Amino acid sequence: MRRLLSYVWAFLPALSFGFLAPVPIIHAAVKLRTWTLWAASALYTVAGVLLWSVTVTMDGTVAPEEIPEPPDWAAALLLGLMVVPTAHALVVRRRVFEPRAQDPALVAALRARERREEARAILARDVNLARELRIGRPDLARQFDDGGLVDVNHAPVPVFVQVLGLSEADAAQLTTTRERVGGFTTADEVIAYTDLSPALVDSLGQRLVFLP
């Protein structure tokens, strides 16, 4: 049914004898957000208004023989508004009605980002709830999905290695230093107190949390 409706949508300019020519292209421009479609929409709209202005009867009381003949170019404009926007709509129909499925990896990454933002919001509001949900602790049994966050102040070495991809030496240095300084509060402190590369820490910034 959706496929049938998409073809009716595409042939609307022809079915309406050109008077609704801009409608499918305006709809496509709104959905696909491309300047070329907006430009085409404006062009078809201007042409449609021009056609309407020369084909509408001036007054029902005017005798038929007094009604001026439409100019020769009006017929060409009418044909053009039936054919060109229809062909244009057929070209973009699939993009409007049958978008390709998103890459599963992209969907998963965006979903994980949303979960991390939600988990950070919980942590900012209620540290005790964050602890209860075990945010940043993939090494513990839990049901809450935090999108792959790691609690730098409490996670063990295997989490730093397996989840964040740190080397054994870097992970060991991180845990040793946090015990010595009493924990970290920001990624900048991790950079200041350890020998970990600032670029490495920055690249992991979206994955790190610092529960007290």
Side-chain angles (χ1 to χ4, degrees), residues 159-212:
V159 169
F160 295 130
V161 174
Q162 297 169 11
V163 178
L164 296 182
L166 296 183
S167 67
E168 291 281 354
D170 285 343
Q173 180 188 170
L174 188 58
T175 56
T176 300
T177 304
R178 80 183 180 194
E179 298 301 325
R180 177 171 57 83
V181 301
F184 306 100
T185 59
T186 65
D188 288 339
E189 289 188 357
V190 174
I191 295 173
Y193 293 126
T194 70
D195 294 328
L196 271 66
S197 163
L200 172 62
V201 176
D202 287 342
S203 70
L204 299 174
Q206 294 301 314
R207 305 287 300 279
L208 308 180
V209 288
F210 303 87
L211 272 71

Side-chain angles (χ1 to χ4, degrees), residues 13 17 24 27 36 41 48 52 95 144 164-165 188 203 206:
F17 296 99
H27 174 243
T36 53
S41 300
W52 183 270
R95 291 168 57 198
F144 182 77
L164 296 182
D188 288 339
S203 70
Q206 294 301 314

Side-chain angles (χ1 to χ4, degrees), residues 5-202:
L5 289 176
S6 73
Y7 278 104
V8 173
W9 171 90
F11 280 97
L12 189 59
L15 295 174
S16 66
F17 296 99
F19 289 101
L20 296 180
V23 173
I25 306 305
I26 291 174
H27 174 243
V30 170
K31 189 162 187 179
L32 300 178
R33 300 179 181 181
T34 65
W35 71 268
T36 53
L37 286 172
W38 281 117
S41 300
L43 178 62
Y44 298 150
T45 299
V46 170
V49 170
L50 182 60
L51 177 64
W52 183 270
S53 69
V54 299
T55 56
V56 172
T57 302
M58 294 174 54
D59 191 328
T61 62
V62 177
E65 62 273 11
E66 297 179 2
I67 299 175
E69 289 291 331
D72 294 338
W73 54 261
L77 181 61
L78 173 61
L79 181 62
L81 282 174
M82 292 175 64
V83 174
V84 177
T86 297
H88 195 172
L90 286 170
V91 170
V92 300
R93 181 194 64 83
R94 181 166 294 183
R95 291 168 57 198
V96 174
F97 289 91
E98 301 175 14
R100 286 182 287 179
Q102 285 186 302
D103 186 325
L106 174 61
V107 172
L110 293 175
R111 177 59 177 165
R113 179 185 294 177
E114 292 176 359
R115 298 300 296 172
R116 289 195 294 271
E117 291 174 355
E118 181 181 352
R120 288 182 184 281
I122 293 173
L123 176 57
R125 294 194 308 265
D126 191 333
V127 174
N128 290 329
L129 178 59
R131 288 198 186 97
E132 184 177 341
L133 294 173
R134 296 175 176 174
I135 289 175
R137 297 299 306 275
D139 54 306
L140 302 178
R142 59 181 183 172
Q143 294 182 331
F144 182 77
D145 178 9
D146 62 13
L149 292 176
V150 173
D151 179 9
V152 178
N153 288 332
H154 299 92
V157 167
V159 169
F160 295 130
V161 174
Q162 297 169 11
V163 178
L164 296 182
L166 296 183
S167 67
E168 291 281 354
D170 285 343
Q173 180 188 170
L174 188 58
T175 56
T176 300
T177 304
R178 80 183 180 194
E179 298 301 325
R180 177 171 57 83
V181 301
F184 306 100
T185 59
T186 65
D188 288 339
E189 289 188 357
V190 174
I191 295 173
Y193 293 126
T194 70
D195 294 328
L196 271 66
S197 163
L200 172 62
V201 176
D202 287 342

